[in-house]
């Protein structure tokens, strides 16, 4: 039985249908008016410098964005940025002896610099301290208020500053601190909580339990991967209390004041989530994009994106985002990354060690969204050496080397050597091809579709696994036929050698094209070496081995691009015992 039909959920849905609650006037689900789409990263807290976990969120979104663009989808908008309001930042700036404004400018610039270095192809970098964002948040708030979704109440409960949230009694537990004093901490994160009493604005979140269930029931792939979809359904089967959406201004000054009530500051999560609308011009031009939005988020912020955000959107009359892609976390040598453990990994040091593409490749190849992944130097070195330097780089170097390809051109394909007609495959004519070779051709022919499917399902690691499997099999093909042993003076052997190289370069053209979203600079190096022009790099019409399939090949006979040396220099093992690249 699918989870959305479990008794509790079913009963909630029935209640929704029978009562025709007020939310039915909320929103009309559907695509954006213009077919354009929006992809976002979370906006990053600026209370510390970026680390590899932040980079991972950004690289995932970047690879998706690049893939969609290369597939020739309608215009896409890729937004990232920094989340700058809140008590945590107010306090960090104070302890650094600087103003929050200066502190945010400094830290936000660090994220922007990192993303430029990492080749994150964003179209917009939003900062929540910008005037355009303040206007969007104020408009969002007044719409919530005017539609009757806000009310004022005395609120008291356990407040966690680090999480900027009130927690229910069931979410906290007693704990002894380092000095042996009793304190209360969040069960989930272990952060200390304090009993807090305030007069707050509340959002009627409880009224959205049924609409949220209905949304997830109708959009089964809205939250991907599936275990996270199930997790949200489980949350929704429990009580969904109203949400406190403002804080006393005396406690929190670093934030956007509630319109018409300067004693209150808008809750940072409402402020932060609205960034996804700000970037598409809310409240004026967002309809061109919304709801064709795809949010890439870490599992720690799933509840905010899969419950609070869709409910808030419905409340202002907008549809929930089309997709929420969720990823797990990176640990370092088996441990959670944390400042106190001193194991926070600096992405800049990783770029220096493995190169930008080497580290992007490592994160996307090893990062499996469903589960936490562990980083340590030896693992990254092994992967980059075996797959990028040896398998891919070796294949390119071998098949473009002057010893095998003295003319420096894309070799010709001979139908006689590699016939399409199965009857002529077996020993007749000059056919040299073996059954495994035909298997390889079929595998590579199907690869672009397979890779696209993986990207659509947010399984970039799986796409890379498929590409690498083909690279290995192509190496096997070259090894099997040992073109270096053929004598170019014999016309038949020369034709066969050219055909082997033609097929290999065609395979490499497909791999180079498909790898563009993941390792853009290296893919460019491969394609340039093969003589593939920038206008010939789209993923929508790759036309693999068209000569074999009876068409023309625009590359045959074309001059190869310049030889720029090794595709990927091999990395040495690190001598330092720890092997962690820290700040
Ligand atoms: N500011 C909020 C997001 C607001 S979005 C409207 C926030 N910021 S964050 O800087 O703490 O986290 C940003 C992203 O980095 C999240 O997707 C989070 O999951 C991700 N990561 C932070 N640490 C991580 C790891 N150790 N591993 C992988 N990603 C992790 O939350």
């Amino acid at each position: 039985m699918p989870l959305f039909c479990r008794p509790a959920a079913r009963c909630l849905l029935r209640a929704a249908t029978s009562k025709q609650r007020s939310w039915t006037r909320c929103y009309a689900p559907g695509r954006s008016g213009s077919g354009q789409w929006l992809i976002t990263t979370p906006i990053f807290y600026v209370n510390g410098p970026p680390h590899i976990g932040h980079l991972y969120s950004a690289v995932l979104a970047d690879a998706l964005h690049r893939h969609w663009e290369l597939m020739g989808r309608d215009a896409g908008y890729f937004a990232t940025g920094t989340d700058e309001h809140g008590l945590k930042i107010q306090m960090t700036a104070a302890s650094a002896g600087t103003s929050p404004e200066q502190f945010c400018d400094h830290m936000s610039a660090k994220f922007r610099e990192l993303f430029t270095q990492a080749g994150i192809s964003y179209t917009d970098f939003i900062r929540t301290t910008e005037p355009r964002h303040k206007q969007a948040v104020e408009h969002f708030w007044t719409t919530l208020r005017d539609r009757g979704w806000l009310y004022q109440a005395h609120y008291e409960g356990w407040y966690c500053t680090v999480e900027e949230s009130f927690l229910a009694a069931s979410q906290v537990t007693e704990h002894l601190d380092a000095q042996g004093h009793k304190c209360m901490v969040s069960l989930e994160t272990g952060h200390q909580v304090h009993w807090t009493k305030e007069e707050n604005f509340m959002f009627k979140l409880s009224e959205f339990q049924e609409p949220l269930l209905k949304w997830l029931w109708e959009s089964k792939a809205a939250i991907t991967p599936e275990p996270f979809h199930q997790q949200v359904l489980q949350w929704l089967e429990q009580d969904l209390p109203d949400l406190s959406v403002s804080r006393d201004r005396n406690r929190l000054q670093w934030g956007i004041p509630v319109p018409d009530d300067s004693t209150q500051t808008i809750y940072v999560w409402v402020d932060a989530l609205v960034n996804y609308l700000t970037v598409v011009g809310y409240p004026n031009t967002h309809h061109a994009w919304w709801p064709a939005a795809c949010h890439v988020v870490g599992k720690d912020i799933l509840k905010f994106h899969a419950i609070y955000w869709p409910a808030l959107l419905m409340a202002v009359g907008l549809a929930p985002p089309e997709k929420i892609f969720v990823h797990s976390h990176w640990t370092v040598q088996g441990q959670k990354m944390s400042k106190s453990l001193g194991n926070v990994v600096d992405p800049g040091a990783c770029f220096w060690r493995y190169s930008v593409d080497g580290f992007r490749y490592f994160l996307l190849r090893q990062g499996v969204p469903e589960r936490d992944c562990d980083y340590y130097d030896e693992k990254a070195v092994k992967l980059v050496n075996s797959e990028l330097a040896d398998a891919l780089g070796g294949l390119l170097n071998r098949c473009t080397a002057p010893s095998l390809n003295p003319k420096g051109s894309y070799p010709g394909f001979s139908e006689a050597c590699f016939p399409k007609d199965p009857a002529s495959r077996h020993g007749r004519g000059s056919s040299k091809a073996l059954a495994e070779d035909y298997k390889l051709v079929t595998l590579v022919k199907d690869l672009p579709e397979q890779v696209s499917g993986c990207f659509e399902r947010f399984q970039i690691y799986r796409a890379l696994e498929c590409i690498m499997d083909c690279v290995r099999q192509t190496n096997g093909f070259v090894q099997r036929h040992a073109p270096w042993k053929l004598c170019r003076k014999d016309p038949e052997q020369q034709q066969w050698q050219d055909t082997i190289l033609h097929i290999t370069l065609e395979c490499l053209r497909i791999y180079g094209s498909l790898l563009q979203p993941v390792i853009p600079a290296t893919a460019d190096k491969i394609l340039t070496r093969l003589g593939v022009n920038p206008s010939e790099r789209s993923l929508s019409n790759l036309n693999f081995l068209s000569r074999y399939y009876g068409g023309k090949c625009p590359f045959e006979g074309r001059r190869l691009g310049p030889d720029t040396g090794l595709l990927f220099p091999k990395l040495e093992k690190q001598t330092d015992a720890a092997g962690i690249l820290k700040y």
Side-chain angles (χ1 to χ4, degrees):
M1 169 163 57
L3 197 131
F4 52 79
C5 278
R6 276 192 202 160
R10 205 171 35 211
C11 140
L12 283 167
L13 281 168
R14 215 181 295 125
T17 330
S18 60
K19 280 198 245 159
Q20 285 299 308
R21 305 280 301 262
S22 47
W23 55 266
T24 48
R25 66 183 154 90
C26 287
Y27 75 97
R31 290 198 57 82
S32 74
S34 60
Q36 302 179 120
W37 44 271
L38 165 71
I39 181 156
T40 67
T41 71
I43 47 171
F44 300 90
Y45 285 134
V46 289
N47 52 327
H51 58 61
I52 59 166
H54 300 135
L55 179 67
Y56 182 51
S57 286
V59 169
L60 280 167
D62 180 59
L64 288 173
H65 175 243
R66 286 176 184 266
H67 181 79
W68 289 346
E69 293 237 294
L70 285 162
M71 289 296 292
R73 278 214 191 178
D74 295 327
Y77 200 83
F78 174 20
T80 187
T82 43
D83 186 355
E84 307 188 4
H85 289 135
L87 209 47
K88 231 183 326 186
I89 287 147
Q90 185 178 308
M91 282 159 54
T92 317
S95 61
T98 173
S99 71
E101 287 89 346
Q102 274 180 336
F103 186 78
C104 290
D105 285 351
H106 174 71
M107 281 298 183
S108 179
K110 281 192 183 290
F111 279 90
R112 204 190 274 259
E113 281 157 22
L114 171 73
F115 292 168
T116 304
Q117 190 187 5
I120 307 298
S121 57
Y122 60 81
T123 21
D124 198 345
F125 188 99
I126 174 139
R127 298 183 56 188
T128 51
T129 44
E130 287 176 56
R132 62 170 170 157
H133 181 63
K134 184 166 183 268
Q135 282 160 20
V137 173
E138 283 170 348
H139 191 274
F140 194 88
W141 179 278
T142 43
T143 311
L144 282 177
R145 186 197 60 199
D146 295 349
R147 287 179 156 236
W149 295 114
L150 301 180
Y151 64 97
Q152 275 180 292
H154 281 284
Y155 195 89
E156 56 183 288
W158 294 108
Y159 191 74
C160 176
T161 306
V162 180
E163 293 164 51
E164 307 265 19
S165 306
F166 280 101
L167 300 180
S170 58
Q171 295 172 297
V172 299
T173 184
E174 210 172 79
H175 178 78
L176 290 182
D177 70 12
Q179 285 78 43
H181 300 131
K182 272 190 193 167
C183 65
M184 297 301 280
V185 295
S186 156
L187 265 175
E188 197 180 325
T189 63
H191 294 131
Q192 193 169 356
V193 296
H194 297 100
W195 189 256
T196 310
K197 288 184 192 179
E198 275 187 14
E199 162 118 351
N200 284 166
F201 281 95
M202 303 293 292
F203 169 59
K204 296 180 187 170
L205 180 63
S206 54
E207 300 222 9
F208 289 87
Q209 194 163 14
E210 298 96 352
L212 288 168
L213 279 165
K214 185 171 184 287
W215 162 56
L216 291 180
W217 182 63
E218 284 166 0
S219 323
K220 292 181 188 72
I223 301 172
T224 303
E226 175 61 14
F228 294 111
H229 182 92
Q230 297 297 336
Q231 162 89 81
V232 176
L233 285 171
Q234 272 174 22
W235 284 331
L236 285 172
E237 282 171 17
Q238 290 152 23
D239 266 359
L240 192 61
D242 288 348
L243 179 70
S244 157
V245 286
S246 72
R247 300 287 180 267
D248 193 318
R249 190 127 192 109
N250 289 325
R251 199 151 67 83
L252 174 62
Q253 296 96 47
W254 186 237
I256 301 173
V258 165
D260 305 324
D261 186 350
S262 56
T263 67
Q264 295 278 310
T265 302
I266 295 177
Y267 175 40
V268 280
W269 267 102
V270 174
D271 170 344
L273 288 163
V274 173
N275 97 83
Y276 299 133
L277 286 173
T278 308
V279 292
V280 286
Y282 179 81
N284 303 312
T285 55
H286 61 286
H287 288 296
W289 308 88
W290 207 266
C294 167
H295 301 314
V296 173
V297 300
K299 64 179 184 180
D300 53 322
I301 53 175
L302 178 58
K303 195 175 276 176
F304 299 95
H305 284 83
I307 295 185
Y308 301 170
W309 181 226
L312 286 163
L313 283 164
M314 291 179 197
V316 298
L318 292 171
E322 211 163 84
K323 282 258 169 227
I324 301 176
F325 281 146
V326 191
H327 66 78
S328 299
H329 281 181
W330 281 92
T331 54
V332 176
Q333 290 187 321
Q335 285 185 306
K336 202 175 156 179
M337 251 191 297
S338 86
K339 273 191 210 156
S340 51
L341 286 174
N343 64 352
V344 178
V345 182
D346 170 13
C350 294
F351 291 158
W352 183 81
R353 171 98 173 109
Y354 314 108
S355 81
V356 169
D357 274 4
F359 197 56
R360 281 178 64 113
Y361 185 77
F362 170 75
L363 289 177
L364 295 177
R365 171 82 165 93
Q366 290 286 315
V368 177
E370 283 92 331
R371 53 178 184 268
D372 286 354
C373 305
D374 196 36
Y375 160 78
Y376 52 94
D377 181 62
E378 206 186 325
K379 188 174 178 184
V381 169
K382 241 188 189 162
L383 182 85
V384 167
N385 279 350
S386 69
E387 300 199 342
L388 296 182
D390 291 342
L392 190 63
L395 189 63
L396 180 74
N397 289 341
R398 261 212 287 198
C399 295
T400 51
S403 51
L404 265 187
N405 190 337
K407 280 199 259 162
S409 63
Y410 216 94
F413 176 86
S414 150
E415 286 136 316
C417 293
F418 209 103
K420 184 119 201 294
D421 172 16
S424 51
R425 287 180 188 180
H426 306 293
R428 282 205 271 135
S430 47
S431 168
K432 309 276 192 298
L434 305 171
E436 293 105 296
D437 305 335
Y438 287 98
K439 265 194 208 153
L440 171 70
V441 167
T442 311
L443 205 66
V444 182
K445 173 84 174 157
D446 295 342
L447 185 65
E449 207 181 313
Q450 205 178 8
V451 165
S452 279
C454 292
F455 270 80
E456 293 301 325
R457 293 189 298 277
F458 197 46
Q459 294 176 325
I460 301 178
Y461 70 98
R462 179 87 191 104
L464 294 176
E465 221 169 82
C466 296
I467 298 172
M468 259 323 132
D469 181 40
C470 284
V471 171
R472 275 193 211 99
Q473 300 215 30
T474 315
N475 271 310
F477 165 73
V478 175
Q479 201 63 35
R480 199 158 51 237
H481 295 296
W484 49 88
K485 286 192 183 156
L486 298 170
C487 170
R488 288 192 70 78
K489 286 191 187 125
D490 172 345
E492 209 174 289
Q493 290 197 31
Q494 184 202 329
Q495 253 191 354
W496 177 224
Q497 188 187 58
D498 282 350
T499 302
I500 298 169
L501 294 182
H502 180 95
I503 294 172
T504 311
L505 294 201
E506 276 293 277
C507 289
L508 275 164
R509 183 171 67 79
I510 302 301
Y511 309 148
S513 304
L514 294 174
L515 285 168
Q516 292 175 93
V518 174
I519 42 173
T522 309
D524 175 55
K525 229 168 149 182
I526 298 173
L527 295 171
T528 304
R529 179 75 178 115
L530 297 181
V532 181
N533 298 321
S535 60
E536 297 166 326
R537 298 178 182 187
S538 146
L539 299 183
S540 57
N541 51 350
L542 282 168
N543 296 327
F544 169 63
L545 206 57
S546 44
R547 290 280 281 100
Y548 170 74
Y549 291 99
K552 283 193 179 141
C553 172
F555 305 103
E556 207 174 34
R558 195 186 278 188
R559 273 211 75 68
L560 293 184
D563 181 1
T564 47
L566 284 183
L567 183 69
F568 229 93
K570 256 182 123 143
L571 298 167
E572 297 297 325
K573 273 198 186 145
Q574 192 144 287
T575 42
D576 133 23
I580 300 178
L581 306 160
K582 297 180 201 156
Y583 287 102

